[in-house]
Amino acid sequence: MSMAQVIRAAMKKQGVTVSQLSRQLGCTTQNISGKMRRDNFRESELQEIAAAIGCRFEGRFISEETGKPVE
């Protein structure tokens, strides 16, 4: 599973839209959509994305609520 797919799964599980995520990160929806399409993320961006959607990043997304990996 690509990192973009993992992010989408985590967003869906947490009920976060791309628009909400982009607002949380202070960037445009187009920017997030482009990164997802290219599957191109720095680790620091993954940590920011995870925090914005209520997860933590440990090389994968872990739900803060359940403590389980999002798959």
Side-chain angles (χ1 to χ4, degrees):
M1 183 180 286
S2 73
M3 190 54 64
Q5 290 172 314
V6 174
I7 292 169
R8 284 187 190 96
M11 289 172 60
K12 184 175 181 178
K13 189 167 192 157
Q14 301 296 95
V16 176
T17 66
V18 173
S19 180
Q20 291 168 323
L21 177 60
S22 64
R23 279 195 302 273
Q24 287 276 353
L25 298 176
C27 62
T28 65
T29 302
Q30 292 84 358
N31 180 282
I32 295 296
S33 295
K35 284 190 168 287
M36 299 280 263
R37 204 173 30 258
R38 292 184 305 274
D39 198 26
N40 181 24
F41 303 95
R42 293 186 313 269
E43 184 175 349
S44 61
E45 291 172 322
L46 293 170
Q47 291 172 348
E48 291 174 10
I49 291 168
I53 60 177
C55 295
R56 67 181 181 268
F57 179 72
E58 297 178 350
R60 59 188 176 167
F61 284 87
I62 308 295
S63 172
E64 288 289 358
E65 185 177 306
T66 64
K68 296 181 181 180
V70 178
E71 300 179 290

